[in-house]
Amino acid sequence: MNTNAILTMGLFDFFRNNQRKNKAKSHIKNLIDMALADGHFDMAEYELLLIIARRHGISENQVKRVRKHPEEVKLLIPADNKKRFFQLYDLVNMMIVDGEVHNLEFKLCKLFAEKFGYATEQLDHLINATAENIKMGNNHEETYQRVISLIDTP
C-alpha cells in the first residue's frame, strides 16, 4: 500500500471517528437537557449519563465540557430507525431514573421523539410503553422489539 492510500485511509478513519464522536456528544447533550428539565441534576441521573457516555466512548471530562458548553454541540439525529429508538430509550430512561416524571421532562421527551420522526399521535404511547419496558428491566433491543411493533416507524 502506498503512502497516499494510507494517508487517505487514515483521514477517512479520522473523519468517521470524529462524526461518531459528534453524534455521541449530541446524544449526551440531549440527555443532559433531559436531566435538567425538572430543574435538578441528581446523582442517579448523573450516573446514568456516565454509563451511557462510556458506552459511546465519551469520557467524563467530555461530558463536563458538553454540559459547560452546550452551544458547541449541534443536534444530530441518527438516520437509522434502531439507533433513533435507542437514543429515545436512553432519553426515556433519563426521564424516569429519579423515580419522578415531571411534566417538563415528558414534554421534552415528546419533543425529541417528534424530532426523531415519530408520529405525533403515537408519542404518548411510545414513551409510556418504553418507560414500562425499562421498568421491567428490558434492555434497548428487547424494548425495541416489543415497542416498535406497536407503532409506525419513521
Side-chain angles (χ1 to χ4, degrees):
M1 197 178 291
N2 68 33
T3 306
N4 285 338
I6 292 170
L7 240 165
T8 302
M9 216 164 80
L11 286 174
F12 178 75
D13 288 341
F14 171 78
F15 286 116
R16 189 173 59 201
N17 284 339
N18 198 36
Q19 185 178 30
R20 189 175 19 245
K21 284 279 190 194
N22 287 339
K23 287 178 182 178
K25 286 179 183 178
S26 173
H27 185 43
I28 295 304
K29 179 186 180 295
N30 295 343
L31 290 164
I32 291 169
D33 289 346
M34 179 62 70
L36 293 171
D38 64 0
H40 304 351
F41 198 170
D42 68 27
M43 189 52 76
E45 291 168 328
Y46 189 69
E47 288 173 359
L48 178 60
L49 179 64
L50 292 181
I51 289 168
I52 294 167
R54 277 188 228 110
R55 189 176 71 224
H56 289 281
I58 302 295
S59 70
E60 185 172 5
N61 284 338
Q62 289 171 312
V63 169
K64 288 176 181 177
R65 177 151 181 95
V66 170
R67 185 171 181 198
K68 190 173 181 179
H69 302 284
E71 72 284 354
E72 294 178 357
V73 181
K74 67 179 186 172
L75 177 64
L76 298 173
I77 298 170
D80 177 81
N81 287 339
K82 190 179 265 192
K83 288 179 181 175
R84 269 195 310 270
F85 180 80
F86 284 10
Q87 285 195 9
L88 182 64
Y89 175 100
D90 289 343
L91 288 161
V92 172
N93 200 2
M94 184 63 74
M95 179 181 74
I96 67 172
V97 73
D98 64 1
E100 297 178 47
V101 177
H102 296 270
N103 190 39
L104 287 175
E105 289 174 316
F106 198 83
K107 284 181 179 180
L108 182 58
C109 200
K110 284 175 69 169
L111 179 65
F112 280 120
E114 194 170 22
K115 285 184 179 192
F116 289 176
Y118 294 105
T120 304
E121 62 275 1
Q122 296 174 331
L123 299 181
D124 288 349
H125 181 63
L126 171 63
I127 292 166
N128 288 325
T130 301
E132 287 306 312
N133 273 270
I134 292 168
K135 289 175 187 175
M136 291 187 308
N138 294 328
N139 65 25
H140 292 82
E141 186 63 42
E142 292 165 331
T143 302
Y144 179 76
Q145 294 305 321
R146 291 172 184 257
V147 171
I148 215 64
S149 64
L150 304 174
I151 61 163
D152 296 328
T153 58

